[in-house]
Amino acid sequence: MRRMVLRLDPDELNTCVSCGLCLPHCPTFRVTGEEALSPRGRIDAMRAVELRSAPIDDDFVAFMSTCVQCRGCEPACPSNVPYGRLIERTREHLAGTGRSTPRWQRWGFSVLPRHRTLLLGSTALAVAQRLRLLPKRVPIGRLPIRRGRPIESTGTDAWLYTGCVMDAWLRSTHRSTARVLDALGVGYAVPGAGGGCCGALHSHAGLHDDATRLATDVMASMPGDAPILVNSAGCGAALKEYGRLLDTDGARAFSARVFDIHEWIAGRLDDLPGLRRRVVPVIVQDPCHLRHVQGAHGPVRDVLARFADVVELDDDGLCCGAGGAYSALEPELAGRIRDRKMEAFDRALAAVDADVVASANPGCAMHLEADLAARGVAVRHPIDPLAEALP
Ligand code: SF4
Ligand code: SF4
């Protein structure tokens, strides 16, 4: 029997009928026009290795490493090819054999669950930014030097997941979320020890053992039956996939308790007291893991529509190129994908006089911030203006 090098399921690989309907939804295909950098091309390369004994050469590694893992190809696929699972398994093999995920990247990811170290490092980076000591190609927006006190628990109705980077870079959005929950009369608890990092970046990088360890810790940090509310799209997608990652009943039950914050609030908007509606246009940008993985982009619009005029981009939710650590690892392609996104923003800005873009993911916000600032537009998490619209 043939040895499956990548440990991919042949049935899943063969689900792809090569129809190509996913191609227009793939950012790397859209900016390069190269079949090998499309979902169909990548699946064919996986098949070649797994079913036709092709070698894992540098081209194969490049095809897999340049995938943003945005999963825009999944909802576009009529055959329901589980692309996310295929690429994660493939990345796991590449990381395990030292063909991807270099040591410096593993070291960087190892800091994420160590929250105090992460906060200190983030503050040092913020100071270096102000002193213009960071090279221009470091692809991050303006980091906060002061972030205020951590969010403290107020009750047990729900868990408010605070995460690692989200807390280091966008703690002010946690405060906005807390304010909205206060206004709804919902008491929230913050995760206990071990709840600092969801492991999404580790999972994307093929560091499966680290990802499962972090998932186990996060689950232990939020016991019980209360819903788990998440305001970072990437973390929410990861927590909702713990059932698949760990393949246990406990993990599946945990994932079923996870809600993107907009998803949870959308049905409760009438309970918010006297929202002030400012008739201003807000351009909505969909983080891929909110739209393609969680399918929670509709509730974001429900929330925004309560206090603003929602303006859509005309690119069908195509990825912005942030992709967790992708913009640091593949800066050239990430920049071209962002340029394409900026063209969509420019078309929207030509039609409406907007100065705010709403984005529910810290990675996207940081990736887009500088280019949008140059156009006089600020990136805000949708929950921030919602909190400001409260009386
Ligand atoms: S996950 Fe995104 S970048 Fe990767 S193949 Fe699918 S659409 Fe393309
Ligand atoms: S992944 Fe799906 S949409 Fe893309 S070529 Fe294969 S079957 Fe068609």
Side-chain angles (χ1 to χ4, degrees):
M1 196 176 140
R2 185 191 300 281
R3 191 170 148 259
M4 305 301 281
V5 181
L6 304 173
R7 294 192 304 119
L8 303 180
D9 181 338
D11 291 338
E12 290 184 351
L13 277 175
N14 286 327
T15 313
C16 174
V17 295
S18 302
C19 65
L21 289 174
C22 52
L23 267 58
H25 302 272
C26 174
T28 54
F29 177 76
R30 288 294 283 267
V31 299
T32 65
E34 285 185 38
E35 171 73 15
L37 300 190
S38 76
R40 183 173 64 185
R42 291 184 172 108
I43 292 167
D44 195 48
M46 293 172 195
R47 277 180 182 150
V49 167
E50 220 47 335
L51 309 177
R52 303 195 293 274
S53 302
I56 296 180
D57 56 15
D58 290 348
D59 282 346
F60 180 84
V61 175
F63 300 157
M64 300 306 143
S65 303
T66 49
C67 171
V68 195
Q69 298 189 70
C70 66
R71 290 169 64 177
C73 45
E74 282 190 2
C77 175
S79 304
N80 294 321
V81 173
Y83 181 84
R85 201 150 58 219
L86 296 174
I87 189 74
E88 273 178 24
R89 272 272 163 92
T90 302
R91 288 272 180 104
E92 193 184 327
H93 175 83
L94 296 180
T97 53
R99 301 294 296 271
S100 71
T101 323
R103 232 179 246 177
W104 66 264
Q105 189 184 349
R106 292 170 198 241
W107 177 84
F109 286 179
S110 74
V111 173
L112 299 177
R114 306 205 305 267
H115 204 56
R116 274 197 196 158
T117 310
L118 175 69
L119 294 179
L120 278 173
S122 181
T123 304
L125 270 179
V127 171
Q129 265 185 338
R130 305 303 190 276
L131 298 173
R132 298 180 193 277
L133 296 177
L134 286 188
K136 275 208 175 117
R137 60 187 171 78
V138 174
I140 43 178
R142 192 174 167 85
L143 298 172
I145 291 183
R146 294 176 203 281
R147 53 180 78 83
R149 292 178 57 75
I151 302 297
E152 289 180 6
S153 303
T154 62
T156 56
D157 298 323
W159 292 97
L160 173 54
Y161 182 68
T162 44
C164 56
V165 169
M166 185 74 195
D167 190 54
W169 293 359
L170 289 174
R171 187 177 281 170
S172 56
T173 296
H174 287 333
R175 268 195 292 280
S176 299
T177 309
R179 217 178 139 218
V180 172
L181 294 177
D182 286 342
L184 286 168
V186 175
Y188 50 84
V190 294
C197 174
C198 68
L201 295 187
H202 305 74
S203 189
H204 294 168
L207 303 175
H208 179 75
D209 291 348
D210 291 343
T212 51
R213 184 176 46 77
L214 290 169
T216 306
D217 289 349
V218 167
M219 285 166 47
S221 76
M222 293 182 282
D225 299 324
I228 296 157
L229 311 181
V230 189
N231 56 16
S232 157
C235 306
L239 266 61
K240 285 183 178 181
E241 295 210 316
Y242 281 178
R244 173 168 76 75
L245 180 72
L246 298 178
D247 196 20
T248 64
D249 288 343
R252 280 184 279 276
F254 179 89
S255 288
R257 292 163 52 209
V258 178
F259 296 88
D260 176 73
I261 188 71
H262 310 90
E263 210 175 13
W264 198 80
I265 285 177
R268 295 168 171 81
L269 288 167
D270 288 339
D271 298 337
L272 282 173
L275 276 182
R276 291 188 297 267
R277 181 172 162 78
R278 295 181 305 141
V279 187
V280 289
V282 172
I283 301 174
V284 61
Q285 182 264 340
D286 291 324
C288 292
H289 284 221
L290 192 74
R291 180 172 177 136
H292 307 312
V293 181
Q294 300 192 59
H297 49 302
V300 171
R301 286 151 177 77
D302 295 341
V303 168
L304 289 172
R306 284 298 175 116
F307 59 89
D309 289 335
V310 178
V311 179
E312 298 286 351
L313 296 175
D314 62 3
D315 65 351
D316 293 326
L318 202 68
C319 177
C320 70
Y326 186 83
S327 55
L329 298 166
E330 299 287 342
E332 199 266 332
L333 258 183
R336 287 167 70 188
I337 296 169
R338 179 175 50 202
D339 289 347
R340 197 167 203 290
K341 190 70 166 181
M342 283 301 147
E343 290 169 14
F345 281 119
D346 285 339
R347 289 192 294 276
L349 289 166
V352 292
D353 186 18
D355 58 10
V356 173
V357 164
S359 175
N361 196 50
C364 306
M366 286 283 169
H367 184 60
L368 297 170
E369 190 183 287
D371 281 14
L372 285 170
R375 291 160 168 80
V377 177
V379 188
R380 313 274 327 266
H381 192 289
I383 293 296
D384 289 327
L386 174 67
E388 287 162 14
L390 289 169

